[in-house]
Amino acid sequence: MQRLERIFLSMAGLAGALTLWQVLAWAGLYPRYLFPWPGDVLQCVSQQLRQGVLGEHIAVSLFRFSGGYLAAAVVAIPLGLLLGWWRRLWVAVDPLVQVLRPISPIAWLPLVTLWFGIGDLPAIVIIFMAAFYPILLGTVTAVKNVDPVYIKVAKNFGASGRHILWRVIVPAAFPYITMGLHFALGTAWVFLVAGEMMGVRSGLGFLIIDARNSMDTGLVVAGMLVIGLLGLAIDRLFGWLERLACRRWGIVEEEGSRWPR
Amino acid sequence: MAAIKIEARGVTMAYTDKAGRSLPVLREVTLEVQEGEFVCLLGPSGCGKSTLLNILAGFEAPEEGEMRIDGRSVTGPDPRYLTIFQNYGLFPWRSVLGNVEYGLEIQGVPASRRRATAMEYLRLVGLLPFAHHHPRQLSGGMQQRVALARALAVDPDVIFMDEPFGALDAITRIKMQEELQRIWQQKKKTIVFVTHDIDEAVYLADRVVLFTSNPGRIKTVISIPISRPRDRSSPDFAALRDQIFTAFQMKQEGEPGEPEYYI
């Protein structure tokens, strides 16, 4: 499909949804205090922008998100390399991970606020938890799936264990690690609102909760839209960086598998 | 007579399957390879020829028996004895040049000398113009030539080749055999080459070691006394090919109409 056609179709889809929304609103199919009209949302956004608060909320949310996400990457990637490389350790740790992983970060919220009080930290910890498991599991799988022939070749040339880890395993696993990082990005972004529901007085999550408390549905939806659009932008940015890295790594993206076998 | 380079004495190997049964792979294999010799291990799949190669190269330890190269026991992989694999084993994150430099890098050769040596071997395999490509951008035959250059760059004594041309199409394969023959004559390395292709073995080898399966044993060893470069259509070539066919009992003699093997 051509690029222009793609852009046109996605724009048409968005415009269609907006039109439908406006038509339903005009038809009076729902009371305006339960769900805003498109115009209400637009007005809220422009008002927030004029007051300069929206920018602040976005900035503080992005700060907490990147803090939690980067911390998760810094902890989970080395841990994943270790667990993927040392099979026995992984067998020992795997059951624990499988039990902890399905627990939503939201379930941790009472404990997290108990431990970390109020402020930025609980939100950062929630994001950290949401990003941690996808990155960890992605890295472990990446290391496990490294083609054994690379290790055989390295050993044959007399490479040391440390060399094999840093110069063979890490680069061989890299494209799959970035897949885990990409996946974690989306997962963690979803938990932004949850992380900012308690103990903070700023951020997009707070904006939504605060608007709900004052029954301002227009602002609620405005906050939701901003989160959605920012999430999309972050995802696209990461995708772009990933493609750039893959090109540098000599990977052809169209193929189903990233490494030639 | 040249010195003995590689010797395997009574090498026996078995794998344990999931049910805990022991599956014999090699039984009492004894083999000597002379310095500078080109030996092909030929046999059907599952005859243990690749396992023997893995043991010779130090990737696996035999259950019983002794393996010596240059009179020293084989205890593990060694850069003096390099293996070339069927799926090339090139590092996709390195350029062609980076791949060829790899072994020299591990040996701590300074960058400028590393580059010069790598370029020299890329020229030998005819891939100099592709030095800055990624392996991914090359055809299978070209990738295997990169792997060959990478191995030769560290100047090994022995090259083990595990069905190196098995993934290539018939025409590329023939070209690669010619190329390997040329390089072998130039560099005079000892080569142990695993294949299941009879023509390939007759074309390349000084001696062909025939394996039979269940468990893998050496059936016989056939010398190929044809001078190089060899002509695949010569009567000598055909006669030796025939001899191998007969040894594998793939030619019917005696009672016609009664097949000795089933597919």
Side-chain angles (χ1 to χ4, degrees):
Chain A
M1 208 183 294
Q2 295 245 304
R3 191 184 162 80
L4 267 176
E5 193 183 358
R6 218 176 258 273
I7 292 170
F8 175 76
L9 283 176
S10 37
M11 287 299 155
L14 283 175
L18 261 176
T19 312
L20 185 68
W21 181 9
Q22 188 64 61
V23 167
L24 289 175
W26 274 331
L29 282 175
Y30 62 82
R32 197 166 177 173
Y33 67 89
L34 283 185
F35 196 73
W37 288 24
D40 301 341
V41 176
L42 204 67
Q43 207 190 336
C44 283
V45 172
S46 71
Q47 193 191 348
Q48 292 280 319
L49 280 174
R50 261 202 318 276
Q51 292 170 353
V53 266
L54 189 60
E56 270 172 47
H57 284 308
I58 290 174
V60 77
S61 279
L62 284 177
F63 159 71
R64 289 174 191 146
F65 178 78
S66 39
Y69 179 79
L70 291 176
V74 165
V75 177
I77 291 175
L79 196 60
L81 289 173
L82 183 75
L83 291 171
W85 183 235
W86 197 4
R87 299 280 156 106
R88 285 169 193 282
L89 193 63
W90 175 243
V91 172
V93 169
D94 186 34
L96 183 70
V97 171
Q98 297 309 333
V99 169
L100 290 178
R101 191 172 61 114
I103 302 171
S104 165
I106 297 171
W108 283 94
L109 205 52
L111 289 178
V112 167
T113 44
L114 200 61
W115 294 341
F116 299 102
I118 56 168
D120 291 334
L121 211 49
I124 292 174
V125 172
I126 293 297
I127 299 292
F128 175 90
M129 286 179 162
F132 182 77
Y133 292 107
I135 299 176
L136 180 77
L137 294 175
T139 308
V140 171
T141 313
V143 173
K144 280 186 173 174
N145 287 343
V146 168
D147 193 336
V149 79
Y150 298 149
I151 295 160
K152 265 182 144 180
V153 167
K155 279 187 178 162
N156 202 169
F157 280 105
S160 65
R162 215 179 57 187
H163 173 102
I164 292 176
L165 177 64
W166 291 112
R167 305 294 301 278
V168 179
I169 306 273
V170 169
F174 173 80
Y176 297 98
I177 295 176
T178 60
M179 278 166 85
L181 281 170
H182 197 162
F183 183 71
L185 195 71
T187 314
W189 186 251
V190 168
F191 285 96
L192 183 69
V193 178
E196 291 178 335
M197 271 191 326
M198 281 190 200
V200 288
R201 298 207 54 80
S202 59
L204 293 166
F206 165 76
L207 177 76
I208 289 175
I209 299 298
D210 194 46
R212 198 248 354 231
N213 289 343
S214 52
M215 286 298 284
D216 188 349
T217 53
L219 193 52
V220 169
V221 174
M224 287 162 61
L225 279 179
V226 170
I227 289 175
L229 288 172
L230 272 179
L232 175 72
I234 291 173
D235 181 81
R236 286 297 150 90
L237 180 70
F238 195 97
W240 179 73
L241 289 172
E242 212 179 349
R243 273 196 301 280
L244 212 69
C246 283
R247 212 168 307 148
R248 159 76 187 74
W249 242 248
I251 307 158
V252 184
E253 268 290 302
E254 287 78 37
E255 306 283 330
S257 126
R258 294 199 155 188
W259 282 147
R261 286 274 165 169
Chain B
M1 207 167 124
I4 292 172
K5 188 77 182 168
I6 305 170
E7 48 181 329
R9 300 237 167 277
V11 170
T12 296
M13 185 75 177
Y15 289 123
T16 312
D17 68 2
K18 279 186 182 144
R21 282 182 301 244
S22 177
L23 303 170
V25 188
L26 290 172
R27 180 179 293 166
E28 291 283 320
V29 172
T30 293
L31 177 71
E32 278 177 4
V33 179
Q34 312 290 325
E35 176 133 33
E37 195 179 20
F38 199 129
V39 169
C40 277
L41 310 183
L42 177 70
S45 16
C47 70
K49 56 192 191 300
S50 286
T51 305
L52 180 64
L53 198 80
N54 263 320
I55 294 172
L56 288 168
F59 291 118
E60 284 180 76
E63 251 166 33
E64 280 171 46
E66 211 184 347
M67 286 291 327
R68 285 174 179 280
I69 300 182
D70 290 328
R72 282 186 300 270
S73 247
V74 175
T75 51
D78 191 309
R80 283 171 299 178
Y81 324 123
L82 279 179
T83 302
I84 289 180
F85 301 94
Q86 184 176 2
N87 49 359
Y88 327 125
L90 296 177
F91 300 133
W93 57 90
R94 282 171 172 254
S95 67
V96 165
L97 185 65
N99 267 283
V100 179
E101 282 185 34
Y102 181 74
L104 302 163
E105 216 172 287
I106 291 180
Q107 292 179 355
V109 176
S112 59
R113 244 187 47 224
R114 206 158 72 201
R115 175 137 312 191
T117 310
M119 289 299 214
E120 179 195 329
Y121 283 98
L122 277 176
R123 186 178 298 115
L124 179 74
V125 298
L127 287 180
L128 207 50
F130 297 92
H132 298 289
H133 282 57
H134 274 288
R136 181 53 147 175
Q137 297 167 291
L138 271 51
S139 70
M142 288 158 96
Q143 291 190 49
Q144 196 58 291
R145 271 146 68 190
V146 176
L148 188 60
R150 178 172 68 178
L152 289 168
V154 296
D155 196 23
D157 288 354
V158 180
I159 299 179
F160 296 113
M161 304 183 86
D162 191 0
E163 299 192 29
F165 308 146
L168 306 177
D169 65 83
I171 292 171
T172 310
R173 216 173 154 135
I174 286 175
K175 281 192 184 141
M176 290 297 291
Q177 290 162 7
E178 288 167 0
E179 181 115 351
L180 178 61
Q181 162 134 269
R182 172 179 69 81
I183 290 168
W184 173 73
Q185 285 184 300
Q186 206 175 323
K187 296 284 167 190
K188 284 291 161 202
K189 306 283 180 195
T190 308
I191 296 184
V192 181
F193 187 107
V194 165
T195 180
H196 52 239
D197 180 334
I198 294 175
D199 277 37
E200 186 165 77
V202 176
Y203 183 77
L204 289 170
D206 291 323
R207 281 189 304 147
V208 181
V209 180
L210 270 59
F211 277 73
T212 53
S213 38
N214 293 322
R217 275 164 296 138
I218 293 176
K219 190 179 179 74
T220 180
V221 180
I222 292 175
S223 289
I224 313 290
I226 313 174
S227 65
R228 292 182 169 90
R230 291 170 179 170
D231 178 1
R232 291 169 210 268
S233 55
S234 73
D236 289 353
F237 198 96
L240 280 158
R241 188 204 285 131
D242 253 33
Q243 198 184 331
I244 294 174
F245 266 96
T246 312
F248 276 131
Q249 295 172 343
M250 286 164 83
K251 259 174 86 95
Q252 289 172 33
E253 290 167 304
E255 302 156 38
E258 235 184 88
E260 287 183 346
Y261 62 95
Y262 300 87
I263 296 167

